[in-house]
Amino acid sequence: MSENEHTMPDLQTMVMEWLRAAGRFWGEPGREDGGPADEEGGSRQAERFSIEAYAAMMKTYQAVSTAMSEPSAMDSLLRTTTILPDITTTLLATGMKGYFALQQQIVDKIGRIGNSTDPYRIDNIDQETLRAWSEIYQKEIRQYFNIPQLGLSRFYQERVNQALDKLNIFSTALAEFIQLLWLPFEKSYHMMHEKIEELTRSGNLPEDTRAYYQMWVKILEGHFMNLFQSPEYNKALGETMDALEDYLAARSRILQDMLQTLPVPSRKEMEDLCKEVYLLKKKIRSLERANRED
Amino acid sequence: MEKSKIPVDMILKHLAEQAEVHQVRVQKATDVLLGNLDTEIAATPYEVVYEEDRVKLKHYNAVLPSNETMRTPLLVVYALINRETMLDLQPQRSVVKNFLANGINLYMVDWGYPTYKDKFLTIDDHVNGYMDDIVDFVLKREKVEQINLMGICMGGTFSVIYSALHPHKIKNLVTTVCPTNFDTRQGLLHIWMRWLDVDKMIDTFGNMPGDLMNFGFLLLNPARLMIDKYIGFLENMDNKPFVENFVRMEKWIFDSPDVPGETFRQFIKDLYQKNLLIENRLVIGGRHVDLSKITMPMLNIYAQYDHLVPPEAAEKITSVVGSRDTENVCLDTGHIGIYVSSKTQKEFAPKIINWLKAREGRYEPAGRDDTESAAERVHPSAKNIYPGVKISEESNHAGKKELFFDNLQGKQSIRNHP
């Protein structure tokens, strides 16, 4: 065991040795270059400054390397490498959890395919499937965009995060809305199957292929009409519009930040100007009218 | 041998036949689509006689001698949604041409394309601003004391408001597919507008985007408007006149100016959501819109299968205005079919022309300098000589809904079926 320790140095010792060697390697040129540079006259002041800066940087690096080669620092560093997979696993687990939940919903849904379709009924909309991703985002992911930002640029970072958050919410809402719009197609498909089955049994299958299209489009239309009057559709439409408006407002705030750096008026400034012009015109119109009537 | 329940042989035979037909059609369609197509809309000559900001006033060139032209000019006010070009969509089905051929001295408001600076414009600015300025201009130009006013859809609502606020300037009022009663569950638009957070929408967009509205209209019936319509096009794309008219309609449908934000906000909140107009509680520009002030003759035309302005939204107005000479006419068509379908071309424009002529009193050349006071003019129908006759009874069936599609118009209507 002790032999092994000598012949196969552990990871901690190896890293410590490497850091010491690196510190010495980068430390030497700094000392060698720094001497002659200090002896030069004022004409080489700029060069000296850069050499001094380089030497200072090397000293800092050497200090950090030396400190890092201490056993306690190494322990901390190695602990980090130990917990890094845990962090990665947690992050991945969150994403995978959501993905699997969504998969499960889809599998459940596929399992239901083939069940009898109620004609022109949209009231058994599968809300859980529609909501799955939305809930995962709200519970597991959204908070990352709300981490408080620090420093001089915190407001700008916050606005970018907000826009990303709103974009995600809009994309989710839009996906749900589109899925709702897909429902009538799905239901019409099943209903067409049932209808064809029925016509086959009774021996009344149309010979003209256009008759099938007419049948399908009429069924589809009926399903759409029912969907559009359902509370679920109105709710989804409202949420999608809300999410779109929130995203556009958040995006606009970022654009305003960007416009501040350009020599062009911002939307707010233009809006103020437009309002002033509008009020002035209104005033002039009313004065002109009063003048005409006099 | 017993006949098969699934006539596979016949189905395949039809498929083969259709494949041949399609091949020939595609060949012909290529010639049609690559050839010279006349898809111009709004081709009837006119002159822009007045402009204010984005708004223009068109005056159509008379086709009849002045002694055969009606003295009282007709001002047509279209909606802020889509464009007035719909009245002159194709030469054979042009309400404008029909009016001119029958001696109407025709003016039409072109609302133009609102830009971001127009977002503050309210209904007051449109009605008491632009419309009133235009009416004053026409009165002065034609040297008359009153004009005939015809409003279309939202423009009809504006015309009702205008007539209540400025009744002395209007001789006859014609409203067509004009929403005035918003307390109805007929039509998806009325249902959807209830929940709409219009404040948030306008605060975000500034003006109401025309494309967004168009998308909403398409969603009213995607099966017909986004699928069946284009299947119909594919089936007829070897037919040149069909293709030309189809493209004309497409040009019109997707030519959608934005609606000024504050106007849209007010229209949705005060009308769709609070229904203030028909309840006689609407205030515009600080003035009460008192419907009892509408004492001039009023003709109200609407469509039985209109999914945007269903009969229930349009027909009530004549019972609450102050006029004793009112008439409701319900045509057997949809919201757009009323202006463009070949069938209603024979009913719609002639009805308006005859109704106006019956109330003109006498015919004098337009632009004469011998103005007479409105009070001196004879109203042949001071009493209700044409009581609310409906030329087409409204369907009272209930139950499953079936949709009917007006030829080529692209916007369909809903009919109740037993």
Side-chain angles (χ1 to χ4, degrees):
Chain A
M1 186 74 183
S2 63
E3 260 186 35
N4 280 348
E5 276 175 6
H6 285 289
T7 53
M8 295 281 290
D10 63 7
L11 181 66
Q12 186 173 350
T13 317
M14 280 172 68
V15 174
M16 279 165 68
E17 281 306 316
W18 177 75
L19 282 169
R20 279 197 198 106
R24 279 198 301 275
F25 176 81
W26 289 110
E28 293 306 315
R31 271 198 297 277
E32 281 168 13
D33 290 352
D38 286 341
E39 288 159 16
E40 293 290 327
S43 60
R44 296 187 63 193
Q45 203 174 4
E47 194 184 344
R48 195 170 64 239
F49 279 149
S50 65
I51 291 167
E52 280 170 3
Y54 175 72
M57 191 184 80
M58 282 303 116
K59 272 179 193 164
T60 310
Y61 178 74
Q62 202 174 7
V64 172
S65 299
T66 311
M68 284 300 291
S69 65
E70 293 298 319
S72 57
M74 283 312 297
D75 270 351
S76 163
L77 183 67
L78 289 171
R79 269 202 304 278
T80 310
T81 57
T82 317
I83 61 167
L84 194 62
D86 289 344
I87 297 170
T88 317
T89 311
T90 311
L91 283 172
L92 280 173
T94 308
M96 293 307 281
K97 194 174 144 192
Y99 175 73
F100 285 130
L102 194 66
Q103 285 291 313
Q104 188 58 47
Q105 298 287 347
I106 293 166
V107 168
D108 290 348
K109 198 170 169 56
I110 289 167
R112 282 194 289 275
I113 291 178
N115 291 355
S116 175
T117 305
D118 300 330
Y120 303 112
R121 281 182 70 117
I122 303 287
D123 52 356
N124 52 352
I125 289 169
D126 193 344
Q127 283 295 307
E128 283 175 23
T129 307
L130 295 175
R131 296 273 152 204
W133 175 245
S134 172
E135 281 176 16
I136 291 156
Y137 179 75
Q138 296 280 354
K139 280 183 192 164
E140 310 288 350
I141 298 170
R142 195 178 183 192
Q143 53 268 41
Y144 290 102
F145 291 105
N146 291 323
I147 293 171
Q149 301 300 313
L150 307 172
L152 183 66
S153 62
R154 69 172 302 281
F155 288 111
Y156 304 106
Q157 289 167 14
E158 248 175 25
R159 283 195 274 274
V160 170
N161 284 355
Q162 282 300 305
L164 288 171
D165 178 37
K166 301 297 179 197
L167 175 62
N168 288 333
I169 291 175
F170 169 58
S171 307
T172 311
L174 187 64
E176 284 178 17
F177 182 64
I178 289 171
Q179 194 175 350
L180 263 184
L181 286 180
W182 181 250
L183 272 179
F185 288 97
E186 194 184 298
K187 285 189 167 280
S188 305
Y189 172 77
H190 293 311
M191 219 171 134
M192 268 301 279
H193 269 282
E194 287 175 6
K195 207 153 188 170
I196 288 172
E197 231 176 273
E198 202 181 298
L199 290 169
T200 310
R201 272 197 300 271
S202 61
N204 291 323
L205 267 184
E207 290 164 6
D208 185 1
T209 44
R210 184 161 173 81
Y212 293 93
Y213 166 74
Q214 292 292 357
M215 205 190 296
W216 172 76
V217 90
K218 204 169 172 180
I219 292 169
L220 181 68
E221 199 172 29
H223 277 128
F224 266 122
M225 285 305 121
N226 283 287
L227 172 72
F228 290 157
Q229 295 187 21
S230 70
E232 290 87 357
Y233 175 81
N234 285 323
K235 191 165 175 276
L237 180 61
E239 283 173 359
T240 309
M241 286 306 299
D242 267 1
L244 170 66
E245 287 155 11
D246 285 343
Y247 164 61
L248 290 178
R251 193 187 65 175
S252 170
R253 284 192 285 273
I254 297 178
L255 287 174
Q256 293 313 305
D257 288 344
M258 291 164 75
L259 277 178
Q260 278 181 3
T261 62
L262 301 172
V264 291
S266 70
R267 183 164 173 165
K268 175 79 179 65
E269 288 163 335
M270 285 307 295
E271 198 165 314
D272 291 344
L273 188 67
C274 288
K275 188 150 197 177
E276 269 180 47
V277 172
Y278 164 74
L279 292 171
L280 273 171
K281 279 176 103 169
K282 202 162 175 149
K283 207 167 186 174
I284 291 168
R285 181 181 278 153
S286 108
L287 285 170
E288 276 178 349
R289 201 168 288 244
N291 205 23
R292 267 207 310 265
E293 281 163 12
D294 287 345
Chain B
M1 200 166 96
E2 194 186 343
K3 191 190 165 193
S4 166
K5 281 191 172 180
I6 307 173
V8 182
D9 53 337
M10 294 307 290
I11 292 172
L12 290 175
K13 191 178 160 229
H14 274 278
L15 270 176
E17 283 168 5
Q18 281 180 9
E20 281 173 33
V21 170
H22 287 315
Q23 197 187 2
V24 174
R25 183 178 296 149
V26 168
Q27 278 171 353
K28 276 189 191 170
T30 311
D31 293 340
V32 170
L33 294 171
L34 295 177
N36 285 330
L37 289 172
D38 177 13
T39 60
E40 193 185 359
I41 59 173
T44 308
Y46 64 84
E47 188 188 353
V48 174
V49 290
Y50 178 85
E51 277 185 76
E52 189 177 346
D53 300 335
R54 70 179 207 277
V55 183
K56 292 184 179 75
L57 178 65
K58 295 175 175 178
H59 181 234
Y60 285 90
N61 302 344
V63 294
L64 294 182
S66 57
N67 60 349
E68 289 177 38
T69 305
M70 277 174 71
R71 177 173 163 69
T72 310
L74 174 67
L75 174 66
V76 175
V77 179
Y78 196 76
L80 294 178
I81 299 161
N82 284 109
R83 305 250 302 143
E84 78 292 343
T85 47
M86 193 260 289
L87 292 179
D88 192 22
L89 209 56
Q90 56 192 83
Q92 301 79 19
R93 296 181 194 176
S94 165
V95 174
V96 168
K97 273 186 184 292
N98 225 331
F99 278 169
L100 294 175
N102 285 280
I104 300 257
N105 182 12
L106 184 62
Y107 286 85
M108 200 180 296
V109 177
D110 170 1
W111 290 114
Y113 295 86
T115 57
Y116 194 75
K117 72 177 171 56
D118 297 311
K119 65 175 272 189
F120 300 103
L121 293 170
T122 59
I123 295 180
D124 175 43
D125 295 311
H126 285 94
V127 173
N128 294 318
Y130 296 127
M131 265 180 82
D132 195 36
D133 288 348
I134 284 171
V135 170
D136 285 348
F137 172 82
V138 175
L139 291 175
K140 196 173 171 189
R141 188 173 194 254
E142 296 290 339
K143 299 183 175 65
V144 290
E145 288 178 15
Q146 288 184 311
I147 61 158
N148 292 327
L149 183 62
M150 174 175 156
I152 293 170
C153 192
M154 186 188 196
T157 316
F158 283 4
S159 299
V160 168
I161 296 169
Y162 185 84
S163 302
L165 295 175
H166 308 272
H168 57 288
K169 297 181 186 177
I170 305 302
K171 185 172 182 180
N172 298 296
L173 173 64
V174 180
T175 49
T176 62
V177 292
C178 164
T180 42
N181 171 32
F182 298 85
D183 185 18
T184 170
R185 289 192 68 80
Q186 279 184 0
L188 288 170
L189 209 56
H190 287 83
I191 297 170
W192 291 353
M193 289 303 164
R194 291 249 166 78
W195 57 258
L196 186 73
D197 186 353
V198 68
D199 285 330
K200 191 174 177 184
M201 186 171 260
I202 295 307
D203 291 346
T204 306
F205 289 107
N207 290 329
M208 181 63 191
D211 286 340
L212 190 65
M213 279 187 296
N214 255 340
F215 183 61
F217 292 137
L218 290 179
L219 278 187
L220 288 172
N221 191 353
R224 295 288 176 193
L225 301 179
M226 291 159 101
I227 300 172
D228 197 45
K229 191 175 112 179
Y230 296 102
I231 295 283
F233 176 74
L234 290 174
E235 285 176 343
N236 291 282
M237 62 184 183
D238 55 337
N239 177 344
K240 192 179 176 191
F242 180 93
V243 170
E244 287 178 339
N245 290 335
F246 193 94
V247 174
R248 283 190 183 108
M249 183 56 83
E250 289 287 284
K251 274 187 176 179
W252 174 76
I253 285 177
F254 297 111
D255 182 10
S256 303
D258 297 350
V259 177
E262 291 309 316
T263 300
F264 188 80
R265 191 198 304 265
Q266 199 178 2
F267 203 81
I268 299 301
K269 287 174 96 167
D270 287 355
L271 299 170
Y272 269 99
Q273 292 174 352
K274 296 182 189 162
N275 199 23
L276 295 181
L277 178 63
I278 205 81
E279 292 177 3
N280 220 17
R281 295 190 292 129
L282 184 66
V283 174
I284 295 291
R287 295 171 65 189
H288 173 219
V289 181
D290 185 356
L291 295 178
S292 69
K293 297 272 173 64
I294 299 180
T295 50
M296 70 289 299
M298 182 179 182
L299 173 64
N300 182 36
I301 304 180
Y302 50 93
Q304 189 176 352
Y305 309 123
D306 189 338
H307 65 304
L308 295 173
V309 184
E312 204 175 276
E315 65 194 356
K316 199 175 169 184
I317 185 73
T318 47
S319 63
V320 294
V321 294
S323 173
R324 287 180 298 162
D325 177 10
T326 63
E327 182 174 349
N328 272 344
V329 174
C330 184
L331 296 179
D332 191 24
T333 183
H335 191 73
I336 309 302
I338 203 167
Y339 307 101
V340 298
S341 84
S342 53
K343 187 180 151 204
T344 50
Q345 283 296 306
K346 293 170 196 142
E347 298 176 46
F348 176 73
K351 173 69 198 174
I352 294 170
I353 293 158
N354 293 334
W355 187 86
L356 286 175
K357 280 185 175 173
R359 284 151 186 81
E360 180 70 357
R362 59 192 172 120
Y363 305 102
E364 285 177 1
R368 274 184 51 175
D369 199 13
D370 54 347
T371 55
E372 59 178 354
S373 106
E376 287 168 349
R377 287 201 195 107
V378 181
H379 271 222
S381 53
K383 289 180 182 174
N384 192 359
I385 58 168
Y386 300 104
V389 178
K390 288 184 182 179
I391 63 169
S392 171
E393 284 304 313
E394 192 188 332
S395 168
N396 57 2
H397 297 306
K400 196 171 81 178
K401 284 194 167 150
E402 191 177 333
L403 288 120
F404 289 78
F405 191 58
D406 281 322
N407 288 339
L408 264 180
Q409 67 187 38
K411 292 188 180 177
Q412 79 307 319
S413 51
I414 297 169
R415 170 155 57 182
N416 289 324
H417 251 272

